[in-house]
Amino acid sequence: MTLNPLARNNRPLIFHPRSQLSMGVCVSMRWMWIICLALVGLNTGGLRADDGYRAWLRYDPLDQVSQRQAWTSVVTGLVCREDDPSVKVALAELQMGFSGLLGIDPSVRPEVSGSGGVLIGTIDGNPEIAVRLRPEDADQIGSEGYVVRTYSNGNGKPLVMIAARSGVGVLYGAFELLRQVQTGVYPHGLDKVDQPKIGLRMLNHWDNLNRTVERGYAGFSLWEWFELPDYVSPRYHDYARLSASVGINATVLTNVNANAVILTEAYLEKVATLADVFRPYGIRVFLTARFSAPMEIGGLETADPLDPGVAAWWQAKVEEIYRHVPDFGGFLVKANSEGQPGPQDYGRSHADGANMLADALAPHGGSVMWRAFVYAAEIEMDRAMQAYAEFQPLDGTFRPNVFIQIKNGAIDFMPTEPFHPLFGAMPKTRQTLELQITQEYLGASIHLAYLAPMWKNCLDADTRVAGEGTTVAKVIAGSDADDGYLPGAIAGVANTGSNRNWTGHPMAAANWYAFGRLAWNPDLSSESVAEEWVRMTFSNDAHVVTPIREMLMESHPAVVDYMMPLGLHHIMAWDHHYGPGPWIDEGRPDWTAVYYHRANADGIGFDRTVSGSGAVSQYHPDVAGIFGDVDACPERYLLWFHHLPWNHPMASGNDLWDEMCLRYQRGVDTVGSWLEVWAGLESSIDAQQHNHVLRLLTRQERESRWWRDACLSYFQAFSKRPLPEGVGAPGHDLEYYRNLRLRYVPGTPSEQ
Amino acid sequence: MTLNPLARNNRPLIFHPRSQLSMGVCVSMRWMWIICLALVGLNTGGLRADDGYRAWLRYDPLDQVSQRQAWTSVVTGLVCREDDPSVKVALAELQMGFSGLLGIDPSVRPEVSGSGGVLIGTIDGNPEIAVRLRPEDADQIGSEGYVVRTYSNGNGKPLVMIAARSGVGVLYGAFELLRQVQTGVYPHGLDKVDQPKIGLRMLNHWDNLNRTVERGYAGFSLWEWFELPDYVSPRYHDYARLSASVGINATVLTNVNANAVILTEAYLEKVATLADVFRPYGIRVFLTARFSAPMEIGGLETADPLDPGVAAWWQAKVEEIYRHVPDFGGFLVKANSEGQPGPQDYGRSHADGANMLADALAPHGGSVMWRAFVYAAEIEMDRAMQAYAEFQPLDGTFRPNVFIQIKNGAIDFMPTEPFHPLFGAMPKTRQTLELQITQEYLGASIHLAYLAPMWKNCLDADTRVAGEGTTVAKVIAGSDADDGYLPGAIAGVANTGSNRNWTGHPMAAANWYAFGRLAWNPDLSSESVAEEWVRMTFSNDAHVVTPIREMLMESHPAVVDYMMPLGLHHIMAWDHHYGPGPWIDEGRPDWTAVYYHRANADGIGFDRTVSGSGAVSQYHPDVAGIFGDVDACPERYLLWFHHLPWNHPMASGNDLWDEMCLRYQRGVDTVGSWLEVWAGLESSIDAQQHNHVLRLLTRQERESRWWRDACLSYFQAFSKRPLPEGVGAPGHDLEYYRNLRLRYVPGTPSEQ
């Protein structure tokens, strides 16, 4: 049923993939390159129009002549003799990439010759690969890694080799080679040997079957369920290319607030079609499992995980799924959380529920991703403590194919949170780090916020649980050592949607990119990843790279400053979470803002020390000692852990009130400074992209003031203190801000 | 706040508009043309990839060398001296069009020279225009029409003139000229003098503020309300171009099932931004007015149209709207229909409600479009009769700026319906014909159904009310004659959405196109419009034009055959209306299928003769005589007006049962025949388009059998007759079809 866009009609491989990337007109790559060079030569950069669809796989002609010449002299052909589907898409990607970047159409030949070229293949599939590998290579590339290396090739031209154990390793190597070319690297001396540090690198799509996307801000779902399985959008193919280019190897197609209908036969046919498209790109499909599905679509009276009929139903359902999707990845489950059904409905534990599903999946090689994001309004305990309290005691009771999926922080994707205390605290259990790529609490797709620095705060955080250096990244990566953590996973809640440019904000594509890159290697720096993305997306010109990279790096701290500085959290507007709402005080206490900021005449902040909620005690004592000590606690978490008087002295010499005000102002000022920076780039980047970002930055600047003014007006009613010098006065009174009501904010389930 | 995409950055006009049409890469038009010619020359048509975004304004290079040369020798420049915004977009369109079609970048100069060119402008704005016009021209072009004519220009090269009274007339003339070029016409002897026959030509978008679209099958709403007014999508501009190219001059942005929030200040700012984009294209913006808005957003206790406070509220609201949109068109209102609020909630009449709004709009030049689509479950009268019964007696009581908007038929956009008896029956009232471009009952965006023949059935229908030849088209066109009908309007419920190709099914763009063309001139034939569209969208090659035109022309009859032949109606599935549901018999009687088909052991059909519901009597006696006479009634309306025994003899010689079965089979066979036709076009049209249509046709063929099998299985239970020879046997029993349940069908309000 599926369309294999690469094989269709037996047309030359080279044209088709590119053609699916926004090409509305008939142009071969070679011609395109000539034209583009002509335009570049005419210094008419402003004439270009890029709608963002190609994202970072832009493959526009290299602007550095010497680099282009160097690569052109090397890429005299592609040497490949394998039929593996992943090797074939790797080959097609190289053809497309080189055509765009270099303006050449390298031919494919089966054997290395003296004229150089790019040799691609697997160690077992091509003896010419095997003979060239160094002895130490094989140990360093695992099943998904690669070697990308330039050889002098005797007396002939240099040869670039992409070698791997598997087809998908070859594909990752091909993307790595293209990234090198795109970011300005020369062929000589190229030698990259790499493999992913985390085994399972997943996107989580919170996509509903009616194509709305919970917390999705880039249009609607990519999955056109009604048209599937008949019509197969070219976007599925390009989604897979973009994801695979950064090493993503799994995708959960459906919302964690799950719908059992996805597990019915008619939908499994549609899922199978998507899985067929994704398979050559090394991407396995997962689905969310609604725990009550046996009742809703199975006609059973119960979903009790210990009921043999329920277990049998799931076993049969899993077998049915594998008939459609032989490499199905497994289930992601949100159970007994925010109204979702789960094993506790029957007095069973999370382990009972997860293990029942795991047993059904195990014979087929599938896994269960069981979310630890649970909390109950009825429980008096600090919400930040509930997941740990619920799950940590269950360590050791989960099946080997169960992963406990834990958000980076203990509340819910706040602009800044300390790492979740569960990381490292379940040494007998696989753990998945769940990050949110989509900007639920960070300005949706309107505000620029490059999230790698926030994620790095978590990945690099030292839990100390197994001694110094037990970072979150190491816990989830795991190791094969007997005494090490079990290999885990990393998941990102996707920010993709049906918008032409995938992510709404043109710069939000950097977050999709960065998630993949950090999932592959959490040791990469935020800055280096940002730079890669800017070079691939915009230009290698330093006058473009530097200012955009700096904007990206400034952005998350700026958003934290103007939204929730100093460890403030959960003070956003009700329901849609867009805009300020520090006054929210009605309804479920743990869904209000006042529950978290606790501002009063005395001060502000949530006391989570041992004299407060005690949440700090869930961390290793070394960490608890830091977070719990008002003098040692990093300022960015200060009000997360401490309730402090308005005149509390800060490191800057300001007191708390003044410091808070100045942080809000700093955020506003930073955004304001970008407007000038961005205006200066007008002649250097595509006009359509430039205009799009400019208009969003203009709105972000206005809305950063909205945040500052609304929050400071509200808190000032408690502090009774004037705004310090340099902090802009609000344009309206507090009532004005309280009465603003945004409607139909995208991604808001209640208004769909 | 708005982006004027043509003026942005002061870049050359020529590149920008094209760049917004799917160009993801940097290519000038001239180069593009050279490349495309090269590809065409290489006979590599299959390499092209067209995602459909450009629709019929494709502007790919002309394939006929002689035609291209002829035009190139004429278009030596563009002569224009006016600054009118519509003239400027006309100029830009010509630059873009000629660049694509001819591969030239004609310069713009202010005065005619001996070297020929294209002279464009208004009669009052350019003396060179005025001197060339013929005396009779001015009377034939009205305010929106144009002259497009080739002059020999003395001794120099020929000159093509586009002349009009208004800027928008010039724009329409520019699109006419481009259409001539696109469809294979040569410059010599070109002489088109035309003006629209219907003054107001509107699209109705049933778009909600959360971007779902009621009965929308091409993704979600084009209007990105949350991003507006800051970010202005390039699609708005291209929507306006495509609409203006077929003469559409008004658009209702919001769903008739209305939301008062659109009338709040925050949304009016967004509406104003769209209106600013559309204005140069001659498109006025309308909104739907929720009748209870004074209560919902105005804080009033009532929405009684005779309450002075209510009238004052609307008056102030209208003034507010005009501050944002100085050329605001007015309100479209669905009142007291299917749960919408209206004047009858207060014991007032439709005229009371419409006139109150009309009085508020009149000082500003705005109008009220008041829908006649009303019916009540509690009323015993045949649903088909209720609108007439309600509205006809109100003739003469509406303000001059009220239009009564009437669907083509008396039920609801069924695959086939006789014309609505209200047409012509309210001689003192302006009437609007409402057609449905979106395929609510015609296979959504999955089934190919070219709707012009269906619309022509209504437009050409002779109401006889003011004597023979009083066609529906003449009634709504109206005239300036004292004894004529008042000038009315035509409205089409749009089939556009956020899908890349605007309409979902690539062929559904033909319906958007045809609606505009028939709104401009209802006398055009369906076939000629189809041919224009095919030529503009695919090719002028007869081997492409003929088979696709024939498929289009066969399509509506085929869909009627396999869905609801012989005047059957309303036998579709519940709620989503996709697929068969002749068994629907629960709930509101007038929402069931059995209410309409009335199949029983004796026969089938709804008796609307004088011995039945009497609906036939709402027509002029001449028409009633035809429809009411079983022997005179056109077969396509037979079961609409008559309940007939299964063995009723038909014109074919078959009896009714056999004829019905054979019609179902004929529909299936017709769709099946297209598969081969379409396969034969593979090498002649774009691969992406070809594949997309192929997959939809394959599904349509399968689903045509579903319709046949489900309906015949159901009716056979009454007829107790075997299927005649040649009619395929159902694959399943009736229970199977009854139990099929489609979920999440796009455009279905209840599942959004």
Side-chain angles (χ1 to χ4, degrees):
Chain A
M1 291 304 269
T2 59
L3 164 66
N4 179 344
L6 293 172
R8 198 171 68 199
N9 302 332
N10 295 317
R11 295 206 176 95
L13 272 178
I14 183 162
F15 296 101
H16 198 261
R18 176 60 171 247
S19 72
Q20 297 195 326
L21 275 173
S22 83
M23 296 282 299
V25 284
C26 48
V27 188
S28 87
M29 288 307 101
R30 184 178 192 98
W31 281 101
M32 183 69 69
W33 176 76
I34 292 169
I35 296 153
C36 292
L37 287 182
L39 284 175
V40 170
L42 293 166
N43 191 23
T44 53
L47 302 179
R48 288 175 288 172
D50 184 350
D51 63 14
Y53 181 72
R54 296 173 301 158
W56 57 86
L57 300 179
R58 199 176 47 132
Y59 300 152
D60 274 353
L62 291 176
D63 40 18
Q64 277 233 331
V65 174
S66 61
Q67 194 214 356
R68 196 171 65 236
Q69 288 173 339
W71 279 104
T72 302
S73 75
V74 169
V75 187
T76 56
L78 298 170
V79 185
C80 180
R81 63 170 64 168
E82 287 171 84
D83 268 346
D84 176 90
S86 296
V87 173
K88 281 166 76 177
V89 296
L91 187 65
E93 192 73 28
L94 291 170
Q95 290 179 295
M96 176 170 27
F98 289 132
S99 296
L101 293 161
L102 307 177
I104 59 174
D105 292 344
S107 60
V108 181
R109 54 178 189 260
E111 287 176 7
V112 173
S113 72
S115 62
V118 180
L119 167 63
I120 81 169
T122 62
I123 299 172
D124 291 341
N126 190 336
E128 293 198 306
I129 300 275
V131 297
R132 282 177 172 78
L133 274 190
R134 296 178 190 152
E136 67 270 27
D137 287 339
D139 295 336
Q140 296 176 33
I141 60 173
S143 61
E144 291 185 299
Y146 52 76
V147 174
V148 176
R149 182 178 292 143
T150 304
Y151 292 83
S152 69
N153 195 27
N155 295 330
K157 289 201 173 182
L159 183 77
V160 180
M161 183 179 77
I162 300 172
R165 285 190 199 282
S166 64
V168 73
V170 172
L171 178 63
Y172 292 149
F175 279 118
E176 178 61 34
L177 175 59
L178 288 165
R179 174 164 32 241
Q180 297 291 324
V181 181
Q182 286 179 278
T183 55
V185 172
Y186 283 67
H188 182 73
L190 180 63
D191 190 359
K192 295 277 293 183
V193 183
D194 202 4
Q195 65 171 314
K197 289 197 160 57
I198 300 170
L200 204 44
R201 305 171 300 279
M202 321 179 73
L203 288 180
N204 287 186
H205 293 274
W206 288 358
D207 289 20
N208 299 312
L209 300 186
N210 66 2
R211 294 192 64 200
T212 58
V213 181
E214 185 159 344
R215 312 309 176 185
Y217 310 105
F220 292 82
S221 176
L222 290 171
W223 325 130
E224 299 179 1
W225 292 117
F226 187 64
E227 287 78 3
L228 284 168
D230 297 280
Y231 176 60
V232 181
S233 166
R235 290 197 77 142
Y236 307 146
H237 167 85
D238 289 317
Y239 163 84
R241 289 180 51 241
L242 288 162
S243 295
S245 77
V246 290
I248 288 162
N249 66 359
T251 185
V252 186
L253 300 177
T254 45
N255 192 353
V256 288
N257 292 322
N259 185 334
V261 171
I262 192 65
L263 301 177
T264 60
E265 179 79 12
Y267 276 82
L268 292 176
E269 287 179 17
K270 302 168 193 274
V271 170
T273 300
L274 291 174
D276 289 344
V277 174
F278 300 160
R279 189 169 296 110
Y281 296 94
I283 298 170
R284 286 176 81 181
V285 163
F286 287 65
L287 296 173
T288 47
R290 186 161 164 90
F291 204 78
S292 50
M295 301 162 72
E296 291 162 5
I297 61 168
L300 302 193
E301 300 279 314
T302 177
D304 180 348
L306 300 191
D307 181 289
V310 170
W313 185 88
W314 279 108
Q315 191 182 325
K317 178 55 69 181
V318 165
E319 283 166 8
E320 182 188 356
I321 295 172
Y322 277 90
R323 281 197 296 276
H324 288 282
V325 185
D327 58 349
F328 179 64
F331 293 132
L332 170 62
V333 186
K334 175 178 179 177
N336 293 119
S337 171
E338 298 182 333
Q340 293 295 303
Q344 294 179 336
D345 300 347
Y346 307 94
R348 315 302 183 186
S349 74
H350 284 287
D352 292 331
N355 290 342
M356 181 272 292
L357 293 175
D359 288 342
L361 289 159
H364 307 278
S367 302
V368 173
M369 302 281 145
W370 194 271
R371 289 175 99 230
F373 179 65
V374 298
Y375 62 98
E378 316 79 65
I379 297 175
E380 294 278 314
M381 184 189 287
D382 176 5
R383 173 173 155 188
M385 300 172 70
Q386 294 184 37
Y388 182 99
E390 185 98 52
F391 277 86
Q392 198 282 330
L394 296 174
D395 187 34
T397 66
F398 291 100
R399 297 284 189 274
N401 61 330
V402 173
F403 295 64
I404 299 303
Q405 182 160 321
I406 305 158
K407 294 190 183 191
N408 58 295
I411 297 292
D412 186 13
F413 298 135
M414 293 295 107
T416 194
E417 291 196 39
F419 71 91
H420 201 297
L422 267 176
F423 287 111
M426 301 178 69
K428 297 175 192 151
T429 306
R430 294 181 195 271
Q431 295 193 325
T432 300
L433 166 60
E434 179 179 308
L435 301 170
Q436 195 179 44
I437 311 173
T438 191
Q439 295 170 232
E440 176 176 356
Y441 300 101
L442 285 145
S445 62
I446 305 297
H447 292 208
L448 166 60
Y450 173 59
L451 301 180
M454 177 176 80
W455 299 334
K456 286 285 284 184
N457 278 344
C458 178
L459 288 162
D460 295 346
D462 191 348
T463 68
R464 308 269 180 117
V465 179
E468 207 160 334
T470 313
T471 63
V472 172
K474 284 196 178 151
V475 167
I476 59 168
S479 76
D480 296 331
D482 283 345
D483 59 347
Y485 286 98
L486 295 164
I490 187 167
V493 181
N495 66 345
T496 50
S498 61
N499 275 15
R500 183 65 183 163
N501 71 356
W502 303 92
T503 56
H505 199 306
M507 305 289 241
N511 290 326
W512 184 8
Y513 183 86
F515 169 75
R517 294 291 285 149
L518 293 177
W520 179 278
N521 183 1
D523 296 337
L524 294 174
S525 74
S526 301
E527 196 155 20
S528 68
V529 171
E531 176 148 341
E532 283 174 6
W533 180 81
V534 175
R535 287 176 178 271
M536 295 167 82
T537 303
F538 291 111
S539 170
N540 280 311
D541 179 349
H543 295 96
V544 174
V545 174
T546 305
I548 301 182
R549 187 195 61 221
E550 286 176 357
M551 277 176 58
L552 291 174
M553 290 304 295
E554 289 169 5
S555 61
H556 177 257
V559 174
V560 170
D561 275 347
Y562 68 68
M563 285 186 179
M564 307 184 197
L566 296 170
L568 284 175
H569 52 288
H570 213 290
I571 62 170
M572 67 286 169
W574 180 258
D575 195 27
H576 57 65
H577 303 165
Y578 190 86
W583 46 77
I584 302 287
D585 59 0
E586 288 181 6
R588 232 179 114 150
D590 57 356
W591 285 358
T592 67
V594 299
Y595 175 94
Y596 296 98
H597 65 64
R598 309 204 167 196
N600 56 27
D602 298 331
I604 185 169
F606 196 130
D607 184 359
R608 291 193 167 105
T609 65
V610 288
S611 54
S613 79
V616 74
S617 306
Q618 292 182 334
Y619 291 97
H620 185 275
D622 292 354
V623 177
I626 295 168
F627 288 159
D629 176 353
V630 70
D631 296 318
C633 183
E635 281 194 343
R636 67 171 178 264
Y637 303 139
L638 194 63
L639 302 179
W640 186 282
F641 287 112
H642 302 274
H643 186 86
L644 297 173
W646 294 110
N647 63 358
H648 175 78
M650 302 291 287
S652 62
N654 298 315
D655 68 11
L656 175 60
W657 167 251
D658 284 359
E659 182 70 16
M660 179 190 295
C661 294
L662 290 164
R663 296 278 177 123
Y664 272 102
Q665 185 63 44
R666 186 173 71 180
V668 170
D669 292 342
T670 302
V671 179
S673 74
W674 298 338
L675 291 172
E676 198 174 332
V677 172
W678 193 254
L681 293 168
E682 188 178 0
S683 62
S684 308
I685 64 174
D686 172 76
Q688 190 169 325
Q689 293 297 297
H690 188 271
N691 176 70
H692 194 163
V693 172
L694 180 65
R695 287 175 170 264
L696 293 175
L697 291 181
T698 304
R699 175 157 163 184
Q700 183 173 6
E701 196 277 335
R702 185 176 79 234
E703 293 185 342
S704 71
R705 286 183 278 113
W706 169 34
W707 271 95
R708 176 197 67 188
D709 296 347
C711 292
L712 292 183
S713 297
Y714 173 81
F715 291 130
Q716 195 173 29
F718 300 100
S719 79
K720 314 278 189 198
R721 295 271 301 273
L723 299 177
E725 200 178 316
V727 177
H732 303 273
D733 63 11
L734 179 59
E735 276 310 290
Y736 170 86
Y737 297 110
R738 291 182 72 128
N739 289 330
L740 283 179
R741 185 172 173 211
L742 289 194
R743 300 291 302 268
Y744 307 108
V745 178
T748 313
S750 62
E751 287 210 322
Q752 287 301 347
Chain B
M1 293 301 271
T2 59
L3 164 67
N4 178 342
L6 293 172
R8 197 172 67 200
N9 303 331
N10 295 320
R11 295 210 175 93
L13 270 177
I14 186 164
F15 295 102
H16 197 264
R18 176 59 172 246
S19 72
Q20 297 192 326
L21 275 172
S22 83
M23 296 280 298
V25 285
C26 46
V27 188
S28 88
M29 287 307 102
R30 185 180 191 94
W31 280 104
M32 184 69 69
W33 176 74
I34 292 168
I35 296 153
C36 291
L37 287 182
L39 284 176
V40 170
L42 292 167
N43 193 24
T44 53
L47 302 180
R48 288 176 287 175
D50 184 351
D51 62 14
Y53 182 71
R54 296 173 301 159
W56 56 86
L57 299 179
R58 201 177 45 133
Y59 300 152
D60 274 352
L62 291 176
D63 40 18
Q64 276 234 330
V65 174
S66 61
Q67 194 215 358
R68 194 172 66 237
Q69 288 172 341
W71 279 105
T72 302
S73 75
V74 168
V75 187
T76 56
L78 298 169
V79 185
C80 181
R81 62 169 65 168
E82 288 171 83
D83 269 345
D84 176 272
S86 297
V87 173
K88 282 166 74 177
V89 295
L91 187 66
E93 192 73 26
L94 290 170
Q95 290 181 295
M96 176 168 32
F98 290 132
S99 297
L101 293 160
L102 307 177
I104 59 175
D105 292 345
S107 60
V108 181
R109 53 178 188 260
E111 289 176 5
V112 174
S113 72
S115 62
V118 180
L119 168 63
I120 81 166
T122 62
I123 299 171
D124 292 341
N126 191 336
E128 293 198 306
I129 299 275
V131 298
R132 283 177 172 78
L133 274 191
R134 297 177 189 152
E136 66 272 25
D137 287 339
D139 296 335
Q140 295 175 32
I141 60 172
S143 61
E144 292 184 300
Y146 52 78
V147 174
V148 176
R149 182 180 292 143
T150 304
Y151 293 83
S152 68
N153 196 27
N155 297 329
K157 291 200 172 182
L159 183 77
V160 180
M161 184 178 77
I162 300 172
R165 286 190 197 282
S166 63
V168 73
V170 172
L171 178 64
Y172 292 149
F175 279 118
E176 178 61 34
L177 175 59
L178 289 166
R179 175 163 32 241
Q180 297 291 324
V181 181
Q182 286 178 279
T183 55
V185 172
Y186 283 67
H188 181 73
L190 181 62
D191 189 359
K192 294 277 293 183
V193 182
D194 203 4
Q195 65 172 313
K197 289 197 160 57
I198 300 171
L200 204 44
R201 306 172 299 279
M202 321 180 71
L203 288 180
N204 288 187
H205 293 274
W206 289 356
D207 290 19
N208 300 312
L209 300 187
N210 66 4
R211 293 193 64 201
T212 57
V213 180
E214 186 159 343
R215 313 308 177 186
Y217 310 105
F220 293 82
S221 176
L222 290 171
W223 324 131
E224 299 178 0
W225 292 117
F226 187 64
E227 287 78 2
L228 285 167
D230 297 279
Y231 176 61
V232 181
S233 166
R235 290 196 77 142
Y236 307 145
H237 168 85
D238 290 317
Y239 163 84
R241 289 181 51 241
L242 288 162
S243 295
S245 77
V246 290
I248 288 162
N249 66 358
T251 185
V252 186
L253 300 177
T254 46
N255 193 354
V256 289
N257 292 322
N259 184 334
V261 171
I262 192 66
L263 302 176
T264 60
E265 179 78 13
Y267 275 82
L268 292 176
E269 287 179 17
K270 302 168 193 276
V271 170
T273 300
L274 291 174
D276 289 344
V277 174
F278 300 160
R279 190 169 295 110
Y281 296 94
I283 297 171
R284 285 176 81 180
V285 163
F286 287 65
L287 296 173
T288 47
R290 187 161 163 90
F291 204 78
S292 50
M295 301 161 72
E296 290 161 6
I297 61 167
L300 304 192
E301 300 280 312
T302 176
D304 181 348
L306 301 191
D307 181 289
V310 169
W313 185 89
W314 279 109
Q315 191 181 325
K317 178 55 69 181
V318 165
E319 283 166 6
E320 181 188 356
I321 295 172
Y322 277 90
R323 282 196 297 274
H324 288 282
V325 184
D327 58 349
F328 179 65
F331 294 132
L332 171 63
V333 186
K334 174 178 179 178
N336 294 120
S337 171
E338 297 181 333
Q340 293 294 303
Q344 293 179 336
D345 300 346
Y346 307 95
R348 316 302 185 185
S349 74
H350 284 286
D352 293 330
N355 290 341
M356 180 272 292
L357 293 175
D359 288 343
L361 288 158
H364 308 277
S367 302
V368 173
M369 302 282 146
W370 193 273
R371 290 174 100 229
F373 178 66
V374 298
Y375 62 99
E378 314 82 62
I379 297 175
E380 295 277 312
M381 183 189 287
D382 176 4
R383 174 173 155 187
M385 301 173 69
Q386 294 185 36
Y388 183 99
E390 184 100 53
F391 277 88
Q392 199 283 331
L394 296 174
D395 187 35
T397 67
F398 291 101
R399 297 285 189 271
N401 60 332
V402 173
F403 295 64
I404 300 303
Q405 182 158 320
I406 304 157
K407 295 191 184 191
N408 59 295
I411 297 291
D412 186 15
F413 299 136
M414 293 295 105
T416 194
E417 291 197 40
F419 71 91
H420 201 297
L422 267 176
F423 287 111
M426 301 177 70
K428 299 174 189 152
T429 306
R430 294 182 195 271
Q431 294 193 327
T432 300
L433 166 60
E434 179 178 308
L435 301 170
Q436 194 177 45
I437 311 173
T438 191
Q439 295 171 231
E440 176 176 355
Y441 300 101
L442 285 145
S445 62
I446 305 296
H447 292 206
L448 166 59
Y450 173 58
L451 302 180
M454 177 177 78
W455 300 334
K456 286 286 283 182
N457 278 344
C458 178
L459 288 162
D460 294 347
D462 191 348
T463 68
R464 308 275 179 112
V465 181
E468 207 161 333
T470 313
T471 62
V472 172
K474 284 195 177 150
V475 168
I476 59 167
S479 76
D480 296 332
D482 284 346
D483 59 348
Y485 285 97
L486 296 164
I490 187 167
V493 181
N495 66 345
T496 51
S498 61
N499 274 17
R500 182 68 183 160
N501 72 355
W502 303 92
T503 56
H505 199 306
M507 305 289 241
N511 290 325
W512 183 8
Y513 182 87
F515 169 75
R517 294 291 286 150
L518 293 177
W520 179 278
N521 183 1
D523 297 337
L524 294 174
S525 74
S526 301
E527 196 156 19
S528 67
V529 171
E531 176 149 342
E532 284 174 6
W533 179 81
V534 175
R535 287 176 178 272
M536 295 168 82
T537 303
F538 291 111
S539 170
N540 281 310
D541 179 349
H543 295 96
V544 174
V545 174
T546 304
I548 301 182
R549 186 196 62 220
E550 287 177 357
M551 277 176 57
L552 291 173
M553 290 304 295
E554 290 170 4
S555 61
H556 177 257
V559 174
V560 170
D561 276 346
Y562 68 69
M563 286 186 179
M564 308 186 198
L566 296 171
L568 284 175
H569 52 288
H570 212 292
I571 63 171
M572 67 285 169
W574 181 259
D575 195 29
H576 56 66
H577 302 165
Y578 190 88
W583 45 78
I584 303 285
D585 60 0
E586 288 181 7
R588 232 179 114 151
D590 57 355
W591 285 358
T592 67
V594 298
Y595 174 95
Y596 296 97
H597 65 64
R598 309 204 167 196
N600 55 28
D602 298 332
I604 185 170
F606 196 131
D607 183 359
R608 291 192 167 106
T609 66
V610 288
S611 54
S613 78
V616 74
S617 305
Q618 291 181 334
Y619 291 98
H620 184 277
D622 292 355
V623 176
I626 296 167
F627 288 160
D629 176 353
V630 69
D631 294 320
C633 183
E635 280 194 342
R636 67 169 177 264
Y637 305 138
L638 194 63
L639 302 179
W640 187 283
F641 287 112
H642 300 276
H643 186 86
L644 297 172
W646 294 109
N647 64 357
H648 174 80
M650 303 289 290
S652 62
N654 298 315
D655 68 11
L656 175 60
W657 168 251
D658 284 0
E659 182 71 18
M660 178 190 294
C661 294
L662 291 164
R663 296 277 178 124
Y664 273 102
Q665 184 62 44
R666 186 174 71 183
V668 170
D669 291 343
T670 302
V671 178
S673 74
W674 299 338
L675 290 172
E676 196 174 336
V677 172
W678 194 253
L681 293 167
E682 187 177 2
S683 62
S684 307
I685 64 175
D686 172 76
Q688 190 169 327
Q689 294 296 296
H690 188 271
N691 176 69
H692 194 162
V693 172
L694 180 65
R695 285 172 172 266
L696 294 175
L697 291 180
T698 304
R699 175 157 164 184
Q700 183 173 8
E701 196 277 336
R702 186 177 77 234
E703 293 185 341
S704 71
R705 286 183 278 114
W706 170 35
W707 271 94
R708 177 197 66 189
D709 296 345
C711 292
L712 292 183
S713 297
Y714 173 81
F715 291 130
Q716 194 172 32
F718 300 100
S719 80
K720 313 281 189 197
R721 296 270 303 271
L723 298 177
E725 199 179 316
V727 177
H732 303 273
D733 64 11
L734 179 58
E735 275 310 291
Y736 170 86
Y737 298 109
R738 291 182 71 128
N739 290 331
L740 282 178
R741 185 172 172 211
L742 290 193
R743 300 291 301 270
Y744 307 109
V745 178
T748 312
S750 63
E751 286 211 320
Q752 288 300 348

